[in-house]
Amino acid sequence: MRFLSKLSGRRIGNAGLVLGSYYWSRLTGNINAPGLPISITVEPTTACNLACPECPSGLKQFSRPTGNMKMPLFEKLLDEISATTAYMIFYFQGEPFIHPALLDMIRAASKRKIYTATSTNAHFINDEKAKAIIESGLDRLIISIDGSTQEVYESYRVNGSLEKVIEGTKTILHWKKKLNSSTPHVIFQFLVVKPNEHQIPEIKKLARKLGVNELRFKTAQLYEFENGNKLMPTIKKYSRYKKNPDGKFSIKNSLDNHCWKMWHSSVVTQDGAVVPCCFDKDAKHEMGHLSAKTFKEVWQSEQYRSFRSSLLKSRKEIDICKNCSEGTKVWG
């Protein structure tokens, strides 16, 4: 309901254009994207304080520079897309709260009546920050909590502190109540891997005890999975992969030749590159750069059009699509 309250006439009209052009392109093969994205992902930073084993940011294995998005770049983007964009996500790679002006970005988007969301490991949420988060107008806060004991939590969230996650969560919920605020909607997100899958019952109890709004279980993306992986969960429901008769593993997603994301959303990296989706972590498929073009020029460029066309012809041949979880997500 809060998201729907953000929908102006122009945003609804734009959404109609996006939806219609998506199905028209699927039906005819003629690529058409007259609208602008309904949702934009902004990458505040590529820096992270943790070292998660399947994360290029945490492992410092990026082929692109580490840094923070500059405010003039964000303001330029916001000016260009705010009339049509209804949803803005403030995370891609990195820990968003490392950016010193993250809440300024969120406030600016909230003032434009854009639904805002971010995801965090909660290590930077102290009393002052929690109050500021509530006052920023943030609509949705996802807190990663991948274990109910320190030993299990840090087996994936390397260098992390479960105590900090729990204290950060308590502080957010305290200030929500104190300020009589319905936002942000606080979600515990539990990335299910083999070392923590046995703690699913405990994390449910902890979520109820703390009083978060929602608990979600997320499947893990694994870079090496064909021959199995020590992180691959044994509970099939929570795995993106399936075992084939030959003993090899493959992704459950059938990778049909279409993708709604290519019409309704886009990602802008911390340095201004526009990439097609969140699976392009290294920005290999840069569609254009906001230092040289407007977002609309990039979105409707021949390069973007060609990428959409190649996806409709043979999605399985596109590298970032081969590990895509769309269609295999489990929310618990």
Side-chain angles (χ1 to χ4, degrees), residues 46 60 63 71 73 83 109 115 119 124 130 137 142 162 209 214 221 232 245 252 255 303 311 321 328:
T46 46
K60 312 300 186 286
S63 60
M71 283 302 292
L73 171 62
Y115 188 95
S119 179
F124 299 95
I142 299 170
L162 178 61
K209 178 182 177 182
E214 189 177 343
Q221 177 184 356
M232 193 178 292
K252 292 177 181 177
L255 296 180
Q303 188 170 349
L311 186 145
C321 297
T328 66

Side-chain angles (χ1 to χ4, degrees), residues 43 45-48 54-67 92-95 223 269-270 278-284:
E43 179 180 62
T45 184
T46 46
C48 189
E54 292 293 321
C55 176
S57 177
L59 294 175
K60 312 300 186 286
Q61 293 179 347
F62 270 131
S63 60
R64 55 192 180 96
T66 298
F92 179 29
Q93 298 302 292
E95 164 53 45
Y223 287 96
T269 67
Q270 61 87 13
C278 59
F279 281 88
D280 191 6
K281 294 177 172 60
D282 283 302
K284 293 179 181 178

